[in-house]
Amino acid sequence: MSYAIEVENLTVTLNSTVVLDSLSFKLPHPSFLAIMGPNGAGKTTLIRVLLGFLKPVKGKVRVFGIDPVEHPSGVRALAGYLPQKERISFEIPMCVKDVVLMGKLLKKSPPRVPTREDIEAARDALRAVGLEELWNRCFRELSGGQQQRVLLARLLVAEPKIAFLDEPFAGVDVQTQQALTALLHKLVRERKVTIVLVTHDVNPIQEHTDYILLLNRKAIAFGHPTEVITSENLSKMYGAPIKVIQYGQYCYAITGDVHA
Amino acid sequence: MVNIAMPSQVMSMLEPFLVRALVGALLTSIIAATSGTFSVLRGLSFLVSGVAHAAFGGVALGIFLQEVIGVKWFHPLLGALLFAAIVAVGAGYAGEGGFTARMEAAIGVIFAFSMSLAVLIMFYLPAEKIPLIWGFLFGDILLLTNEDLFLLGAMTSLMIGFTIVFHREFTYIIFDPETAEAYGMRSRAYHYLLLVLSALAIAAATKAVGAILVYAVIVIPAATSALVGRSIPSIALRVFLIAICCQYLGLAASAVFQAAPSAVAGVLAALIYLIILLAKRRGQ
């Protein structure tokens, strides 16, 4: 079996505080992984380590067999990324087409001139998220949901082998959330892309995921949603009693979005 | 009472100093459209003022080294460029990872240090050299020398060249540096490149229009255009047009009414900002 991600005994510290502690898991390729945990659980830190932005103090990390610490460019050539909203300057006036094309042009060398194929691919990606008519619009004038969909189109056009999405559903309505999740699910099944998605609330997406990692500095649980989402695991992760209700084969946390 | 110049007098003013002023205004407007636009969009308008005042400290150091220490090769302009680069690198270091507030604080520290250094140095300089330093703060576009123009032209060319080649990279590091880095772009290198280039260009413009008015000519048009622009190229074009119109009107006013051209340009630019801001607020 080929693995998209192999993490063994990973420990990361930030400003002398341990943010990830002896974390281990293996994610087969292609698959849809949701990482869930309270604030400060190390979810974003894990993504940053996988992309080679942060150096672990201990442990082994591999993305498609590549060490992101030694060869960050090797991992980044395969990766797509959608950062947390706070990391993007939404007030910068950019056309939607330029935002989407960014996904294609960043994979090229300067001067990164778009070819006809690049433009066509960007249009296709925007069509895939259902926003083709916004091609010439100003990005900052769109609604929050539309902006997230445009950013997802930017990720699609990069044709990644593995995509990291950090809280892509923050401030997004239920309808958009469902559309985006279905699209991500399709990416895994049809284009064989591994998706790593960080979320506070796994309820709306767990049916689409293959694996869930419950994280609170340590791995609380890792496995198929039906095995992982239990009252015991969630209570352990949040340090507070969490009840779940069962619907079909899945369990749903009835507290929804929990912030520790 | 103002002196109204006759048309014949205006014509006779088309002398080398006026041509230099016209070219200087054109080059400063290009710097405004590039450095000014990127700095304002980045929320770093303080960079312009910080660089201008740090360059003032650099000039003081240059004159001190030449006159007191005897390091003849160290031209005061070299000091200005060196201090501008220090502001850029210092701000860039503080702001790695996209922390604009930290960059502003670092600029403030170097600003204060450079001004303090200038005041300290002035104490040890011969009295006749002091106006040279103050001249940098209150530069006059009508007094541009060929040497100033050469420096301004060189820095403008550098800024244009790098902006043409790397405008996407500069846009990406302002819009979303983390994704740019995650996709393999060297965000950090472009972060420093943009800051250092902008700072050098601003230092050259400061020599032309002075430290105080460089803010008016570079920042105000950019702040005005950012209010209404829908894309970075359209903002840069508007910045250029506002900056050049204000400066040429300033020069015209100086010819007709004997008013200081940069001061007129500054007042005009501020008025345009105010009008656009009011119009935008009414439209909301």
Side-chain angles (χ1 to χ4, degrees):
Chain A
M1 183 184 282
S2 75
Y3 291 103
I5 297 173
E6 293 165 88
V7 172
E8 266 179 48
N9 206 21
L10 174 69
T11 301
V12 180
T13 58
L14 286 177
N15 301 322
S16 315
T17 306
V18 176
V19 282
L20 286 174
D21 188 3
S22 312
L23 182 68
S24 298
F25 70 94
K26 279 184 177 181
L27 182 69
H29 174 73
S31 51
F32 192 150
L33 167 71
I35 304 174
M36 189 191 176
N39 290 340
K43 306 182 294 290
T44 300
T45 302
L46 176 58
I47 288 187
R48 295 179 67 79
V49 171
L50 293 168
L51 280 166
F53 289 152
L54 285 175
K55 242 181 182 172
V57 288
K58 211 171 69 183
K60 185 182 123 179
V61 182
R62 296 286 182 272
V63 178
F64 293 108
I66 304 167
D67 182 349
V69 178
E70 294 293 323
H71 305 287
S73 55
V75 173
R76 291 172 194 175
L78 305 172
Y81 183 48
L82 202 165
Q84 279 182 18
K85 270 186 150 183
E86 297 73 39
R87 310 299 295 168
I88 298 175
S89 302
F90 284 95
E91 71 282 6
I92 302 298
M94 278 181 80
C95 281
V96 166
K97 61 182 171 192
D98 292 323
V99 175
V100 181
L101 270 170
M102 191 177 165
K104 201 80 190 167
L105 301 181
L106 275 169
K107 298 279 181 184
K108 296 182 155 192
S109 303
R112 304 178 208 268
V113 181
T115 62
R116 189 172 295 192
E117 289 76 29
D118 295 336
I119 293 169
E120 214 35 61
R123 271 191 187 279
D124 287 346
L126 202 56
R127 196 175 299 128
V129 298
L131 294 179
E132 200 198 358
E133 73 281 4
L134 300 184
W135 179 253
N136 279 315
R137 286 278 301 277
C138 187
F139 181 71
R140 68 178 173 184
E141 291 168 3
L142 307 184
S143 70
Q146 287 174 326
Q147 285 175 337
Q148 283 303 86
R149 281 156 78 174
V150 170
L151 292 174
L152 186 62
R154 179 180 71 172
L155 185 149
L156 294 178
V157 81
E159 295 181 54
K161 201 171 170 187
I162 182 165
F164 300 95
L165 299 96
D166 199 351
E167 302 274 9
F169 303 137
V172 169
D173 60 53
V174 178
Q175 202 183 357
T176 308
Q177 198 168 318
Q178 283 176 348
L180 294 184
T181 311
L183 192 71
L184 292 173
H185 183 78
K186 216 168 122 186
L187 267 184
V188 181
R189 298 290 170 263
E190 293 176 9
R191 293 210 217 163
K192 311 288 177 215
V193 178
T194 286
I195 303 284
V196 178
L197 184 147
V198 166
T199 181
H200 266 111
D201 183 9
V202 84
N203 279 348
I205 62 163
Q206 63 166 315
E207 288 170 44
H208 292 286
T209 59
D210 302 307
Y211 295 90
I212 290 181
L213 170 64
L214 295 185
L215 188 68
N216 196 353
R217 296 190 187 171
K218 291 174 176 247
I220 306 293
F222 174 77
H224 190 266
T226 51
E227 305 154 9
V228 168
I229 303 296
T230 64
S231 175
E232 193 192 347
N233 282 339
L234 293 174
S235 302
K236 194 176 164 194
M237 182 173 75
Y238 289 116
I242 307 287
K243 290 177 182 164
V244 298
I245 50 167
Q246 192 160 1
Y247 182 78
Q249 55 174 325
Y250 292 94
C251 286
Y252 297 87
I254 54 175
T255 43
D257 187 3
V258 183
H259 294 259
Chain B
M1 190 178 157
V2 292
N3 287 330
I4 308 289
M6 299 303 290
S8 59
Q9 285 173 287
V10 176
M11 289 305 291
S12 68
M13 284 181 74
L14 270 180
E15 286 172 11
F17 80 91
L18 190 55
V19 174
R20 281 197 294 270
L22 290 169
V23 175
L26 174 77
L27 296 174
T28 315
S29 302
I30 295 173
I31 291 174
T34 48
S35 306
T37 301
F38 284 124
S39 301
V40 167
L41 287 178
R42 218 170 182 194
L44 258 192
S45 45
F46 190 41
L47 177 75
V48 179
S49 181
V51 163
H53 287 81
F56 172 75
V59 168
L61 179 71
I63 293 174
F64 177 75
L65 288 174
Q66 274 194 335
E67 299 296 326
V68 180
I69 309 290
V71 187
K72 294 292 174 199
W73 59 267
F74 197 94
H75 195 283
L77 273 179
L78 192 62
L81 295 176
L82 178 72
F83 271 51
I86 290 173
V87 173
V89 173
Y93 182 71
E96 270 189 30
F99 300 102
T100 306
R102 288 188 198 165
M103 289 166 87
E104 295 255 317
I107 293 167
V109 170
I110 305 169
F111 179 125
F113 166 76
S114 306
M115 292 296 283
S116 308
L117 185 74
V119 173
L120 273 176
I121 285 172
M122 278 186 207
F123 183 73
Y124 297 99
L125 283 177
E128 71 274 13
K129 295 291 176 189
I130 304 293
L132 277 179
I133 305 177
W134 287 116
F136 200 81
L137 265 189
F138 303 100
D140 190 336
I141 200 159
L142 291 172
L143 299 179
L144 276 176
T145 61
N146 284 335
E147 188 188 48
D148 296 335
L149 221 49
F150 176 76
L151 177 75
L152 196 57
M155 290 306 155
T156 310
S157 309
L158 261 184
M159 198 66 215
I160 292 175
F162 276 99
T163 304
I164 287 173
V165 179
F166 296 124
H167 66 101
R168 286 197 174 86
E169 285 77 0
F170 292 163
T171 304
Y172 295 163
I173 56 162
I174 297 174
F175 176 64
D176 184 0
E178 207 165 85
T179 299
E181 184 91 33
Y183 280 33
M185 194 182 99
R186 293 172 176 272
S187 287
R188 205 161 150 243
Y190 291 110
H191 165 74
Y192 280 106
L193 178 67
L194 178 57
L195 282 169
V196 171
L197 275 175
S198 297
L200 294 179
I202 292 162
T206 306
K207 181 71 181 75
V209 294
I212 296 162
L213 286 164
V214 80
Y215 202 78
V217 175
I218 292 183
V219 173
I220 300 179
T224 308
S225 304
L227 287 174
V228 289
R230 291 167 59 89
S231 70
I232 294 178
S234 75
I235 289 181
L237 180 67
R238 280 199 190 90
V239 174
F240 174 75
L241 291 174
I242 295 173
I244 198 145
C245 287
C246 290
Q247 290 197 87
Y248 280 179
L249 283 171
L251 282 169
S254 79
V256 181
F257 304 111
Q258 293 184 347
S262 298
V264 174
V267 170
L268 281 174
L271 280 176
I272 293 173
Y273 175 78
L274 194 64
I275 291 165
I276 302 270
L277 181 66
L278 288 174
K280 195 170 163 69
R281 292 294 290 270
R282 281 195 159 205
Q284 277 171 351

